Amino acid sequence: MIAVGIICAALVILLLKYVFGGRGPNPFEKDSREPLKKRVYDKKEKNKVLKQGFVPSKVPENLDAVIIGSGIGGLGLAVLLAKVGKKVLVLEQHSRAGGCCHTFTEKGFEFDVGIHYIGELLHHRPFRCMLDQMSNGQLEWEPLENPFDHVLLGPPGNRRQYPIYSGGTRFTEELKKCFPGEEKAIDEFIKLVKKTKQGVWFLVLLKLLALPLAKFLVHTGLVKHLSSFFKMAPRSLTDVVNELTENKDLRAVFSYIFGTYGNIPKDASFAMHSLLISHYLNGAWYPKGGASEIAYHMIPIIEKAGGAVLVRAPVNRILFNDATEACGVSVIKGKEEVHIHAPMVISNAGIFNTYKKLIPKDLQAMPAIQKQLSMLKHGEGGLSIFMGLNGTKEELGLKADNYWIFPENNLDELVETYKKKEREEAAKNIPLLFVASPSAKDPTWEERSPGRSTLTLVTFANYEWFEEWKDDKVTNRGPDYMELKQTFINTILEVVMEVFPKITRDKIEYVDAGTPITNTYYIGAPRGEIYGADHGIGRFDPELNATVRPQTPLKNLYLTGQDVFLCGFAGALAGALTCGSVILNRNLHLDTIALARRTKILNSKMKRD
Ligand SMILES: Cc1cc2nc3c(=O)[nH]c(=O)nc-3n(C[C@H](O)[C@H](O)[C@H](O)COP(=O)(O)OP(=O)(O)OC[C@H]3O[C@@H](n4cnc5c(N)ncnc54)[C@H](O)[C@@H]3O)c2cc1C
Ligand SMILES: *[C@@H]1O[C@H](CO)[C@@H](O)[C@H](O)[C@H]1NC(C)=O
Ligand SMILES: *[C@@H]1O[C@H](CO)[C@@H](O)[C@H](O)[C@H]1NC(C)=O
């Protein structure tokens, strides 16, 4: 007992040294918020920022770093570096910047891809303060309705609807109204969630501590003693929830949000689940003006420091010098390779793309790289449906909220059976449907697109169902592909028109589906993943957590984004913050906490004056 005490005390001292030790420049040093500028909604104007095509002459000289990929993990890191004066080039393979935060327009309807709701955005919270700095105060966030989610369980005719509320004690209070007699289970659940989530700082630590020290914590088992997060990480969601209650609907309601990271409850880690429940406990928000606002307000900060964000710039390989240190990238331009040199290369393209496609075969074979690859799996593929509707949100009965629709309450079995089906059968038996109206969430929409609305739907789909068409031209994959997509669309439309009776067939002006291979094309997801590498229990093995970190086994090559931390907008940004911490040699996670404290003091002073 005493020995453990001494070890712990010694550790705390060491941890403090490492955690506070860094003395690099602080991107949050000065408050960079500016008064709100005039809003720009004109597409052409915005494209001047978001769609700057790659030509060698636009590449700045004397770069400090090159970042592959313009997702929030890439752009976020670029902004952090730009704020301390570094000249950074971000290269994006798609024709516009933003990764999962990009938007596209079809038949005059603007759709976004991977941003439906984001939590933790209360004023004065570190995450919010950080985003304010990262957009120089120009990004605005619109709260969703409360309830922000609705869980629908059961087949047509017997759908039970459970509203999910955010805010203080409201989450539990409202659930208790729906499940009388289950008060104890509900209290116990939220208690476990909060306790587990508290231990998450250890995840940051494992990635920032010197590797030998991190490994020491892992191998002695101290991690699990010290962190409730890692203690709960090996337990599956199904396991925990089944212990709490016999009520099948309540089990499903505790579990529905697995859709935001992609592992069915029996494969999901209770730790990951706790993060997601906590993420939305204080509310859910949507970017005012749509998801493209995110990149639109970040790019100028990168440019101001002399950097650039260039699109249609697919990186085909990372360049290494004779000492196998990363020293630049090669971009395909027409039939040519353009070489760009920089002392540091950071990949936001995901760990699989980076290690399997972008580095030479002999480096790929390195045991350290192979080890990391063997620890991770590809995440679930996704299928999205985009609908353009004639009518305002009032006319169509749409609100700023989300629906999670399941035809049964046994979520594990439901999704497992689906994934084993032949594709035509699967397309007729969709087990999970996320439905949301981005237009209804955006207060600027009515001004930008009067009298019209959008609906986006997401479900999971096997990559293999679509793989045979992967090499066909994206706009012309043939009649069989179209037919399979149509089967999915028809199944989904039936559900939509039943749940939203005001949406009738004559209101639908546009509808199309994006499949896993669509995701490969537009967001570079190698197997159509919507959340990057898999987030099952294996992902939370502390060993893996200490091993997969921003530094790669190759000098001057770093990783950022969702694969280095966790998925989601917040997870990918945490990846950027972690990567930035390593590059700038200071703990930026702590800096955001300090920033939040400063902002609060500053704001209350301003109010008094
Ligand atoms: C349908 C869907 C719905 C979602 N809903 C939500 C939500 O409501 N809330 C939430 O928080 N999160 C949501 N997410 C998840 C979230 O959007 C992502 O986890 C996060 O944005 C990932 O950021 P990233 O920077 O790591 O990666 P990405 O955004 O995927 O960026 C990677 C970028 O790298 C580029 N790239 C890849 N290879 C190359 C190459 N060789 N050369 C150049 N560029 C390359 C890609 O084109 C891409 O732009 C959703 C995701 C999807 C797909
Ligand atoms: C939209 O609906 C209105 C009436 O509800 C109709 O007059 C109009 O023509 C429709 N627009 C389109 C593009 O279908
Ligand atoms: C484990 O490591 C993965 C990969 O780096 C990371 O995304 C995840 O957040 C980590 N989880 C924990 C609990 O450390």
Side-chain angles (χ1 to χ4, degrees), residues 109 389-391 395 451-452 506-509:
F109 292 97
L389 302 167
N390 183 5
E395 286 161 355
R452 319 176 87 193
D506 60 310
K507 298 281 192 316
I508 305 174
E509 279 186 37

Side-chain angles (χ1 to χ4, degrees), residues 267-341:
D267 299 332
S269 159
F270 188 74
M272 181 67 192
H273 199 73
S274 298
L275 288 185
L276 264 304
I277 298 271
S278 314
H279 186 62
Y280 295 115
L281 224 42
N282 288 312
W285 285 262
Y286 181 80
K288 197 168 163 184
S292 68
E293 286 287 284
I294 298 170
Y296 181 71
H297 291 298
M298 291 172 88
I299 292 172
I301 304 178
I302 300 163
E303 291 172 341
K304 201 168 163 215
V309 178
L310 303 179
V311 302
R312 278 182 270 114
V315 170
N316 67 324
R317 60 194 180 99
I318 297 168
L319 305 175
F320 291 88
N321 63 18
D322 293 340
T324 58
E325 298 163 343
C327 62
V329 298
S330 153
V331 175
I332 294 286
K333 174 77 187 160
K335 289 200 168 64
E336 310 252 306
E337 270 196 353
V338 179
H339 288 190
I340 297 164
H341 290 276

Side-chain angles (χ1 to χ4, degrees), residues 203 207 229-230 539-540 544-545 548 562-566:
L203 171 58
K207 291 182 187 296
F229 187 82
F230 281 104
R539 174 88 174 245
F540 298 93
L544 179 142
N545 276 281
V548 178
Q562 59 188 354
D563 285 358
V564 106
F565 203 82
L566 292 171

